Amino acid sequence: MGKGGEEDLGNKQSNGSEPLKFDTFPAWGKDVRECEEHFGVSVERGLSRGEVLTRHQIYGLNELEKPEGTSLLKLILEQFNDTLVRILLAAAVVSFVLAFVDGDEGGEMGITAFVEPLVIFLILIVNAIVGIWQETNAEKALEALKEIQSQQATVMRDGVKVSCLPAKELVPGDVVELRVGDKVPADMRVVGLVSSTLRVEQGSLTGESEAVSKTTKAVEENADIQGKKCIVFAGTTVVNGSCVCLVTHTGMSTEIGRVHSQIQEASQHEEDTPLKKKLNEFGEALTMIIGLICALVWLINVKYFLSWEYVDGWPRNFKFSFEKCTYYFEIAVALAVAAIPEGLPAVITTCLALGTRKMAQKNALVRKLPSVETLGCTTVICSDKTGTLTTNQMAVSKLVAMGSRVGTLRSFNVEGTSFDPRDGKIEDWPVGRMDTNLQMIAKIAAICNDANVEQSENQFVARGMPTEAALKVLVEKMGFPEGANKASSLANGDVLRCCRLWSELEQRIATLEFDRDRKSMGVMVDSSSGTKLLLVKGAVENVLERSTHIQLLDGSTQELDQYSRDLILQSLHDMSMSALRCLGFAYSDVPSDFATYDGSEDHPAHQQLLNPINYSSIESNLTFVGFVGLRDPPRKEVRQAIADCRTAGIRVMVITGDNKSTAEAICREIGVFEADEDISTRSLTGKEFMDVKDQKNHLRQSGGLLFSRAEPKHKQEIVRLLKEDGEVVAMTGDGVNDAPALKLADIGVAMGISGTEVAKEASDMVLADDNFSTIVAAVGEGRSIYNNMKAFIRYMISSNIGEVASIFLTAALGIPEGMIPVQLLWVNLVTDGPPATALGFNPPDKDIMKKPPRRSDDSLITAWILFRYLVIGMYVGVATVGVFIIWYTHSSFMGIDLSQDGHSLVSYSQLAHWGQCSSWEGFKVSPFTAGSQTFSFESNPCEYFHLGKIKASTLSLSVLVAIEMFNSLNALSEDGSLVTMPPWVNPWLLLAMAVSFGLHFVILYVPFLAQVFGIVPLSLNEWLLVLAVSLPVILIDEVLKFVGRLTSGYRYSPRTPSAKQKTE
């Protein structure tokens, strides 16, 4: 109840039982007077202002509670609920402790030591901020959709009718007036009918497929929700008639509020998505591997900080160097930093966030970030029919008129699938030459009609019954007869211009409302020609039964003989078999009692209109003029979308509450079934399916399936069985009754326009345009996002394998440490970050929707991919360590002169045993230059392997950066060559590479930053060496991709039924 929720509870406790009695009072089981007495209100005057304020205090606002948002602290903690992030946090803490221990030495190196842990902490903070921002941002699009449903009500207060009162201000006891098209603002007791009948569409709450008639009469107190015929429920819509009601329940006390509460409870338990599980498994495996490698590196180097002598065969005189022990522990920490892809959590979050933005542009609003990835492995789409596969806008598709002589009919096909009068035309239509028979059909369709069509921005919206709105659209397509529009003074921009012209010619003076017994509606009109007519429309059989004549093309009337009757009924049967809903038209002169009737209540004949029992006798001796076939037409783009699903290996199942024949006709038209396919085993009602012995086997049939007359429990059972069978299920729905199935499905898809708040709350994704093809586009986008995520995850992991190989080789060979932890951190975060993020912009593969869906248990890193990146990683290790050794041991390499800086050469043996330098006799090294600096080692030549390694270390770091930039080009496609997928297909990647190289140049050539990172500027020849050592990574991966393409048939097997059958 929003703000009023807490207040409500407190007042209920403090004010005794007074407020509570409204909640427990069974208004449906009491008559109107008892209800007035109980709520302390008069239907004529309504509540007083003072009473409204008092009840506001007790009941709060009439709105559904917004679910309590996750607290900021909980959101922050959730960002650290990730194995990778936790490893990173541990590495930061260890680095910080080591920096603190070393910090006693003070000076510049002491400050530098703190850079690494501080940067790791900064990464974690930024990642947490991105995650929190995205999770809070995902709900904003939904909030905008909620605005569409803002409601207003017409209320009686203090004897004055208040129009457009915000519905949230209603309280129990308010007297509300409802009209056609109104959305019911609260649970209310019907206390008076203004029209003779009242019908409400409450399918979203109860699952009933047809509008329900309401009455003022009390029912049994123990009646179920469908049996409460005198109650209108919040969120339902009035489709026919008008009435006065008394508010009985508001906010969370309404029926829709109770379901809302159940859904919120159900949403507390959610499983991790396939990707999250895989990343956690990867993180756990990484923790073990890091632990083993760190222990191995430490053991290899134990001789440097722990030595002993053997006396009498036993080790004695142990010597332990704490300083060297700490140094090698730092190397182990550097290994941990190298092995963890620090930027991965942030890059994944960024990629998913970019994906949700792309999907939003395609009208798919993603509520939960990880569901973007789950969409990519969808194997079954369970779709509702009405409004998703169809437009939910009734349209006339066929018009049948009388011929020029008895026993002949004329048939016209009508184009168009919406309420837009300009959408399509009538085939073979006599434009401007409408005969008398067609004019009469147009007149009845326009005037015997309570609906309206309005233009709202670019959409045309029906107000009232959709079937009646469709008839008015038909009248506009028929046009107005020549010479008859002299009465018009309307602007050309009028949506229903022809309907209004007919209304000007024929003034409506009385309405005989529709009722279920006679299945027709009639209006009496005072024609401009001076005659009074009765115009009738309704079910063809019923109208035909009360007809005695037919009107021919020229306007003449003939007696309705048996042949003509059979001909009309045969045509009706053919149209019904095509799932068309048919309405017939007829007219007659008004009965003699009404010859002078002008609509006045004082006229003697008016009494006959007050009792609907008289309507059948008034609507008798009719002249039949023709009929139309209407349907909820399929959306134009759906057929192609279903074909795309079939190509993509996704099965489509249609689950609808509509009747079987209508649903089958639509399924054939949109391609779920072939036109002449035998569907006796594929099309079942919900009840028939529940009686099937082997239900799972029925659901395993390839191709489309249809379930008609399905109730909410049937939907849930179908989804549950599919999930048990290992399918990844996307489920669409719009009603409150769909919410449990939406919650149960892997991806719940709610409708943004027609969907209830409860359905949206239960969903993972909301379709802003209610269109099935949007789901298919979203699946394609989900696949593309997953592929891109695999690309950058593999890219980052291959880079990390290279860094680990580099450090491991350094430790194994015993040469000086090539790169320090802060340099590795810089590479992982700054230089790897932009290309990894840019890989998220890779264009989708052209055949992305031609491949079968991946299995949800598919490995993120297959054995082949791991082998590939171990090969690449080993090359990275060899290249970074190799360039370090080359600088110390070679004056030139591959024709590139490296002696220009004047550095001294040493043998590989000396480099590998640099720790024994102090024992070497006559060891001297000459000074060398780096940029504007000169490094001299006269006082201590052994510093050449410590301070003097700065140039070799810079070369190693630059080779690592260059290799990883070229390696990002390899990640453009898993198996595709750079020849077929050149770098410029993703310009963002080229920009990212430029940014990363630019950042590397910044730390090389800005003196302060070079000092922090322990590097020096490089000469042109040294850059040539870097490129010569780095570029082969592209050739190596091209060879591996070629082998991958040759062996792909052996490595990928198609999805088999046995793979689906897994036990939960």
Side-chain angles (χ1 to χ4, degrees), residues 67 316 419 453 639 650 654 683 911 1037:
R316 298 279 192 275
F419 291 127
V453 176
R639 190 177 179 87
I650 300 168
V654 180
S683 170
L911 187 63
D1037 205 47

Side-chain angles (χ1 to χ4, degrees), residues 518-653:
R518 74 185 207 286
K519 292 184 179 175
S520 62
M521 169 192 177
V523 293
M524 290 183 186
V525 294
D526 197 348
S527 177
S528 55
S529 62
T531 58
K532 287 188 173 65
L533 291 175
L534 172 66
L535 310 179
V536 178
K537 78 163 192 303
V540 180
E541 302 98 318
N542 296 57
V543 173
L544 198 61
E545 198 179 312
R546 297 199 297 276
S547 297
T548 54
H549 291 77
I550 54 170
Q551 183 194 50
L552 300 179
L553 181 149
D554 58 2
S556 62
T557 59
Q558 297 285 337
E559 192 173 324
L560 176 60
D561 59 11
Q562 192 58 43
Y563 179 75
S564 297
R565 190 183 296 274
D566 291 343
L567 187 67
I568 292 167
L569 288 173
Q570 181 57 48
S571 180
L572 170 69
H573 175 72
D574 294 344
M575 287 165 68
S576 298
M577 289 301 289
S578 303
L580 295 182
R581 183 181 173 190
C582 298
L583 284 176
F585 304 112
Y587 76 97
S588 72
D589 292 330
V590 296
S592 55
D593 296 356
F594 291 89
T596 57
Y597 181 63
D598 58 0
S600 168
E601 292 183 14
D602 300 327
H603 193 281
H606 183 73
Q607 292 302 311
Q608 292 183 46
L609 297 177
L610 298 179
N611 190 348
I613 293 171
N614 300 322
Y615 291 176
S616 288
S617 58
I618 295 172
E619 293 175 355
S620 57
N621 298 318
L622 300 173
T623 300
F624 191 83
V625 294
F627 62 104
V628 294
L630 305 99
R631 63 174 182 160
D632 177 9
R635 293 176 182 271
K636 291 173 185 171
E637 58 278 13
V638 162
R639 190 177 179 87
Q640 183 57 48
I642 285 175
D644 291 344
C645 281
R646 191 168 282 133
T647 310
I650 300 168
R651 293 188 297 144
V652 177
M653 297 184 186

Side-chain angles (χ1 to χ4, degrees), residues 1032-1062:
V1033 77
I1034 292 179
L1035 297 174
I1036 292 169
D1037 205 47
E1038 282 292 305
V1039 172
L1040 290 169
K1041 282 181 178 180
F1042 177 69
V1043 174
R1045 289 195 295 276
L1046 290 179
T1047 59
S1048 62
Y1050 301 104
R1051 289 182 289 111
Y1052 296 115
S1053 58
R1055 200 179 167 89
T1056 57
S1058 59
K1060 298 178 199 169
Q1061 296 159 25
K1062 64 178 185 185

